[in-house]
Amino acid sequence: MRSLLQRVGACFGWQGDCAEWPWLSLRYAALMQLRATLSAADLSVNTVNTTLAAVRGVLKAGFQLGAYSADEWQRIQAVPNVRGRRVTKGRQLTPREVERLLAACRADDNPLRALRDEVILTVLLYAGLRRTELVRLNVDDFNPRSGLLQIQFGKGNKQRAVSLPNPAKQKLKAWLKQRGAMAGPLFVHVDELPSKQRQKQNCKKPMSAIPSALSAHQVYALLRRRCRQANVALCSPHDLRRTFVSRLLELGVDLNTARQLAGHEHVQTTTLYDRRSDKNQRQAMANFRF
């Protein structure tokens, strides 16, 4: 949200920290000018409307503090959202692409890194996690017996639990066996892991230095690297999330259950991740004849 407000400040030529900007000087005319400027920029409809909503949220605090009259606040609220629709971003990976990505991980000359990367991609595909959720997983968030994965820090600080299918469950158990049982982040830098002998020596007491977690950016870079190695068109971790949702719907899972598994607040958000229509449209045009 802060980045959206920074964009607003740039539109008005404001400098410095957005917390110090003269937000309460904005009136209806300025918001309509902002709407026009954002609409003319190369931004999605959703980004424009989210930015306008962020500004309204700031100005609402001003109204509650008495900075706006009731009439002026009504005019501010009357600034309309932008209408329209853009071609959806992202894509669904094919089963062949998924297998090639996982095979590229297994071909790594470092067995520990090979296993870690394969498990990361498997969890993203089989649980539909956001990369920020993945990097905040801890060892005790996974129950090896039941296969239940607890997401403690979902978007909006919401928690949820996902029961992993058996392929993902077995891969994650294999990673835990290699990683060791010491507390800390689930997915770590492999060069910081202790040797097997050191793990045995420390099995009854906490490690003096817990391996550090991968960052969300490192997960993004990891996937891009594996795409190049597998000769797969570049994709993002969020494309694996789109693949998860689309595959659920292809298998007949109802939309609300897919929403819950993906950790979405609204069903409408889940529909944006459904890439089945893209495939259907391509098939329809492939068979199109006069």
Side-chain angles (χ1 to χ4, degrees):
M1 196 62 71
R2 188 179 184 88
S3 63
L4 298 179
L5 295 177
Q6 289 286 158
R7 179 181 287 123
V8 172
C11 291
F12 290 118
W14 294 341
Q15 303 290 328
D17 186 3
C18 66
E20 300 175 357
W21 291 342
W23 292 105
L24 301 186
S25 66
L26 297 180
R27 295 295 186 269
Y28 173 80
L31 262 65
M32 288 300 294
Q33 176 191 344
L34 173 65
R35 180 182 182 274
T37 301
L38 294 174
S39 298
D42 187 21
L43 300 171
S44 70
V45 171
N46 184 59
T47 299
V48 173
N49 289 334
T50 302
T51 304
L52 292 173
V55 175
R56 290 192 197 98
V58 173
L59 302 190
K60 181 179 180 180
F63 169 67
Q64 292 171 334
L65 292 171
Y68 294 110
S69 66
D71 288 344
E72 185 60 38
W73 176 239
Q74 284 185 339
R75 284 193 287 272
I76 289 172
Q77 287 184 305
V79 174
N81 282 338
V82 174
R83 300 185 65 180
R85 183 177 179 181
R86 299 281 183 92
V87 175
T88 53
K89 293 183 179 179
R91 66 187 184 92
Q92 177 186 3
L93 275 69
T94 66
R96 176 63 177 156
E97 287 178 314
V98 169
E99 178 50 40
R100 286 165 64 180
L101 277 175
L102 298 180
C105 296
R106 292 191 291 268
D108 196 297
D109 56 5
N110 182 321
L112 201 54
R113 185 172 59 228
L115 178 59
R116 182 203 62 187
D117 290 4
E118 183 183 5
V119 175
I120 284 175
L121 299 189
T122 299
V123 171
L124 289 173
L125 285 161
Y126 279 84
L129 269 60
R130 303 172 178 91
R131 55 182 167 141
T132 52
E133 295 171 340
L134 180 106
V135 298
R136 298 186 72 178
L137 290 173
N138 284 315
V139 169
D140 55 6
D141 291 332
F142 175 61
N143 185 326
R145 179 172 296 180
S146 66
L148 196 67
L149 186 64
Q150 297 280 351
I151 295 90
Q152 305 287 357
F153 302 99
K155 191 173 182 179
N157 205 28
K158 296 182 178 68
Q159 297 180 341
R160 71 182 187 280
V162 177
S163 182
L164 292 178
N166 194 57
K169 174 183 171 182
Q170 296 305 323
K171 285 291 183 185
L172 199 42
K173 288 171 68 174
W175 164 245
L176 281 176
K177 184 177 180 180
Q178 295 300 317
R179 178 200 176 279
M182 79 284 286
L186 183 56
F187 295 111
V188 297
H189 294 87
V190 295
D191 56 352
E192 296 180 12
L193 288 173
S195 66
K196 280 291 181 184
Q197 186 164 354
R198 238 185 101 194
Q199 287 184 20
K200 290 178 182 178
Q201 292 171 350
N202 287 274
C203 63
K204 294 183 179 179
K205 58 182 180 180
M207 295 291 296
S208 57
I210 297 175
S212 59
L214 294 178
S215 68
H217 178 73
Q218 287 169 328
V219 172
Y220 183 89
L222 177 159
L223 177 57
R224 305 281 278 195
R225 183 171 65 253
R226 296 307 184 189
C227 283
R228 287 190 289 269
Q229 293 170 350
N231 198 24
V232 168
L234 291 180
C235 61
S236 70
H238 225 68
D239 286 328
L240 304 191
R241 183 166 160 80
R242 294 181 182 101
T243 301
F244 168 74
V245 172
S246 297
R247 188 61 182 149
L248 284 175
L249 297 174
E250 285 176 347
L251 294 172
V253 175
D254 67 88
L255 194 57
N256 188 54
T257 300
R259 174 193 69 80
Q260 293 171 329
L261 290 170
H264 287 148
E265 184 75 19
H266 305 289
V267 168
Q268 292 89 337
T269 305
T270 309
T271 61
L272 298 176
Y273 286 67
D274 183 5
R275 292 297 183 272
R276 292 175 301 168
S277 61
D278 297 347
K279 184 187 300 182
N280 294 339
Q281 289 175 20
R282 287 195 299 270
Q283 290 174 347
M285 293 308 295
N287 299 322
F288 183 77
R289 298 287 186 278
F290 280 106

